[in-house]
């Protein structure tokens, strides 16, 4: 077993409890991959809460952390690339959605413009129709007046001895 000068309690390294747990775990993993007597000593030290300070144990632990950090960095790079791809896809979709929305808004504005034009046409046609209707009513009223005046005139002339046929011809001229 390592002497007190060659080991330090892992609780005195200024690590949090989570970090101490990680150190102990990875010290055992590093020791198991290194093999040999120093790895058994490192494994025992880890289970006792000590960090071996001998060069071979520290070198094995350092290599293990370097590999672990490379794996983490590779995973970070991959996830960063994936997040960029997702962001680009969302940006493209958003751009497409915006283009579709812009087209739909333009279509909506065109429909509103057409509605406005039709309402103006409707109002103009209604106004013309009302004028035509008023003219028709006036003409019909004048026709009634003419007929009434004509019939009363015929009736009046007929009493005075004139024939209705001759008076009718006179009005037509």
């Amino acid at each position: 077993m390592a002497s007190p000068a060659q080991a330090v309690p892992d609780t005195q390294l200024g690590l949090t409890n989570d970090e101490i747990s990680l150190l102990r775990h990875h010290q055992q993993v590093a020791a198991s991959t290194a093999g040999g007597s120093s790895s058994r000593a490192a494994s025992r030290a880890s289970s006792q809460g000590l960090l071996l300070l001998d060069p071979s144990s520290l070198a094995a632990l350092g290599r293990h952390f370097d590999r672990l950090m490379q794996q983490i960095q590779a995973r970070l790079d991959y996830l960063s690339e994936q997040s960029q791809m997702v962001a680009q896809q969302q940006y493209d979709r958003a751009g497409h959605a915006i283009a579709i929305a812009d087209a739909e808004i333009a279509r909506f504005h065109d429909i509103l413009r057409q509605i406005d034009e039709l309402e103006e046409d409707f109002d103009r046609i209604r106004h013309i129709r009302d004028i035509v209707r008023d003219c028709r009513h006036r003409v019909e009223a004048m026709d009634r007046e003419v007929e009434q005046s004509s019939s009363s005139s015929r009736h009046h002339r007929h009493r005075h001895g004139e024939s209705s046929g001759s008076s009718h011809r006179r009005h037509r001229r």
Side-chain angles (χ1 to χ4, degrees):
M1 176 147 172
S3 67
Q6 294 180 327
V8 63
D10 53 18
T11 56
Q12 294 181 0
L13 296 174
L15 302 174
T16 65
N17 288 336
D18 287 340
E19 291 169 333
I20 291 170
S21 294
L22 278 172
L23 174 63
R24 289 177 182 171
H25 171 75
H26 287 290
Q27 191 175 4
Q28 288 178 347
V29 171
S32 68
T33 56
S37 64
S38 65
S39 68
R40 284 189 297 275
S43 181
R44 267 192 313 272
S46 172
S47 64
Q48 294 172 358
L50 299 173
L51 174 64
L52 290 182
L53 297 178
D54 70 276
S56 66
S57 295
L58 290 175
L61 189 57
R63 285 189 302 274
H64 173 73
F65 281 127
D66 287 343
R67 282 190 304 274
L68 189 58
M69 288 179 65
Q70 286 174 347
Q71 291 170 356
I72 291 170
Q73 186 62 52
R75 184 72 177 154
L76 283 172
D77 291 345
Y78 170 77
L79 292 174
S80 176
E81 181 181 309
Q82 291 299 306
S83 69
Q84 288 175 357
M85 287 173 47
V86 167
Q88 184 63 45
Q89 289 171 347
Q90 292 304 317
Y91 178 78
D92 293 345
R93 285 184 191 139
H96 184 66
I98 289 170
I100 290 172
D102 286 345
E104 289 300 315
I105 289 169
R107 182 173 167 254
F108 182 70
H109 284 285
D110 186 51
I111 289 169
L112 290 177
R113 181 191 53 76
Q114 290 178 36
I115 288 171
D116 288 344
E117 288 174 1
L118 287 172
E119 285 176 343
E120 287 175 13
D121 288 347
F122 185 85
D123 290 343
R124 278 188 235 130
I125 297 298
R126 180 176 47 204
H127 183 245
I128 293 169
R129 181 203 63 190
D130 291 346
I131 290 173
V132 168
R133 182 182 292 157
D134 288 346
C135 286
R136 188 185 85 216
H137 288 227
R138 278 187 259 149
V139 166
E140 288 172 351
M142 287 186 342
D143 279 350
R144 281 191 301 274
E145 285 177 20
V146 167
E147 277 184 31
Q148 286 175 354
S149 129
S150 169
S151 74
S152 85
S153 169
R154 260 187 276 153
H155 183 59
H156 184 353
R157 285 188 182 149
H158 193 275
R159 276 200 261 160
H160 292 300
E162 292 183 15
S163 73
S164 61
S166 63
S167 68
H168 181 61
R169 279 191 213 118
R170 258 186 271 152
H171 284 294
R172 291 275 181 185
R173 287 187 186 164

